[in-house]
């Protein structure tokens, strides 16, 4: 039922914003502090600078959530977790199974937990490590940037072009708009030997990327989640 309602509102053009919402809800998780994570608190955090642009995807999902709630209440955390998976699938990416039962937090998560886009690979790895995510998972999840307008192939097709483009380092060229491709955090990954090995693997094998992205996504949407007892 959730998938059905999500499908009605998440078109290819809206998929990138919806997928980004997942990272900004779940990415507040800190293992050491045992706080933050996939708890729907993003709806209280939309005024934060790092969440600029995310009001729209929340608004889109509000409609679907209203329809589901009328039949059986669903948490924001479940709603966003399912919607992100559907966004990937609408854009021809892997099918990702999402377990339900997350509880929502009633307050915003602590600030300053999402990675700054200016971090280098060392900083990104450390930041993901604090969330229980490995270097491989950092590289696989960053492949989400294949969606959207950062210049990694077709903006509405979820494929491995992110890695292929990273290996070409188009930002080094002065031709046309190539200097605009990628965020500093994307460019930083190719400069790190450990990340580079995964980038090469995913550039050469889309099925491996899909498999690893799926597993890392499932881990991300379970990060810090508190579950309804059955
Ligand atoms: C590794 C650290 C990350 C950083 C520093 C980062 C930062 C950013 C920034 C600054 C943007 C906005 C780009 C723009 O339009 O100007 C963006 C877009 C996006 N991010 Fe990330 N991100 C990270 C990881 C992730 C992860 C793990 C996911 C999801 C699994 C994700 C999903 C997206 C998507 C789908 C967009 C495109 C949104 C759109 O075009 O509407 N990002 N990211």
């Amino acid at each position: 039922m959730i998938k059905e309602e999500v499908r009605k509102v998440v078109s290819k053009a809206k998929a990138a914003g919806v997928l980004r919402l997942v990272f900004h809800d779940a990415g507040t998780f800190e293992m050491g502090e045992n706080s933050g994570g996939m708890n729907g608190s993003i709806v209280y955090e939309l005024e934060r600078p790092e969440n600029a642009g995310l009001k729209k995807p929340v608004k889109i999902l509000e409609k679907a959530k209203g329809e589901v709630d009328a039949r059986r209440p669903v948490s924001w955390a479940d709603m966003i977790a399912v919607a992100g998976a559907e966004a990937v699938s609408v854009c021809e990416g892997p099918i990702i199974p999402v377990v339900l039962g997350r509880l929502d937090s009633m307050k915003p998560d602590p600030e300053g937990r999402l990675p700054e886009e200016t971090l280098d690979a060392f900083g990104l790895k450390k930041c993901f490590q604090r969330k229980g995510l490995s270097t491989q998972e950092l590289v696989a999840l960053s492949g989400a940037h294949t969606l959207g307008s950062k210049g990694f192939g077709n903006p509405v097709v979820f494929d491995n072009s992110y890695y292929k483009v990273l290996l070409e380092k188009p930002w080094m060229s002065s031709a046309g708009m190539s200097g605009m491709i990628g965020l500093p955090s994307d460019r930083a990954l190719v400069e790190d030997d450990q990340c580079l090995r995964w980038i090469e693997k995913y550039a050469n094998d889309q099925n491996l990327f899909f498999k690893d992205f799926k597993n890392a996504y499932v881990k991300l949407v379970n990060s810090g989640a508190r579950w309804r007892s059955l």
Side-chain angles (χ1 to χ4, degrees):
M1 181 171 54
I2 301 173
K3 275 191 193 175
E4 203 178 289
E5 292 305 330
V6 164
R7 287 270 169 162
K8 290 183 193 164
V9 294
V10 179
S11 58
K12 277 187 172 227
K14 290 172 181 152
V18 169
L19 179 56
R20 187 170 187 220
L21 203 52
V22 175
F23 183 52
H24 286 237
D25 193 29
T28 55
F29 180 53
E30 293 272 323
M31 240 179 359
E33 309 282 325
N34 193 22
S35 65
M38 197 72 206
N39 57 20
S41 68
I42 185 73
V43 300
Y44 306 116
E45 299 158 2
L46 294 170
E47 298 304 329
R48 293 182 183 176
E50 67 269 30
N51 294 332
L54 292 179
K55 280 187 188 164
K56 225 171 157 179
V58 168
K59 194 131 203 107
I60 292 165
L61 294 186
E62 242 163 22
K63 189 172 174 325
K65 187 173 185 300
E67 294 294 328
V68 177
D69 279 340
R71 285 179 274 171
R72 185 177 167 174
V74 60
S75 65
W76 266 114
D78 277 352
M79 199 66 207
I80 293 169
V82 172
E86 286 306 298
V88 170
S89 133
V90 159
C91 294
E92 299 155 53
I95 304 293
I96 309 176
V98 174
V99 169
L100 299 179
R102 293 167 194 75
L103 295 171
D104 279 347
S105 166
M106 293 301 146
K107 56 178 185 6
D109 284 335
E111 293 195 53
R113 298 237 173 128
L114 286 165
E116 303 259 351
E117 62 176 302
T118 48
L119 284 177
D120 61 10
F122 179 78
L124 289 167
K125 287 199 253 186
K126 284 268 155 248
C127 177
F128 272 59
Q129 230 170 53
R130 289 196 296 275
K131 306 180 192 311
L133 296 166
S134 68
T135 298
Q136 181 220 333
E137 288 162 334
L138 160 67
V139 176
L141 287 171
S142 294
H145 287 169
T146 193
L147 293 185
S149 49
K150 282 290 133 190
F152 297 107
N154 186 326
V156 296
V157 174
F158 190 99
D159 59 15
N160 66 342
S161 56
Y162 176 78
Y163 305 101
K164 290 182 176 165
V165 173
L166 280 185
L167 290 177
E168 288 164 10
K169 298 191 184 182
W171 53 89
M172 307 284 271
S173 143
S174 55
M177 301 291 280
S178 47
M180 306 280 289
I181 293 176
L183 298 167
S185 58
D186 298 317
R187 299 171 184 189
L189 297 180
V190 224
E191 303 305 330
D192 179 88
D193 283 348
Q194 212 188 353
C195 295
L196 180 60
R197 280 200 290 278
W198 288 108
I199 292 168
E200 283 167 343
K201 278 186 209 274
Y202 296 147
N204 289 323
D205 186 347
Q206 179 159 282
N207 288 336
L208 179 69
F209 165 50
F210 278 14
K211 177 173 118 343
D212 287 357
F213 182 86
K214 182 182 82 178
N215 290 334
Y217 181 93
V218 166
K219 196 164 165 187
L220 184 67
V221 294
N222 292 346
S223 302
R226 316 229 176 246
W227 301 89
R228 200 174 57 203
S229 49
L230 294 172

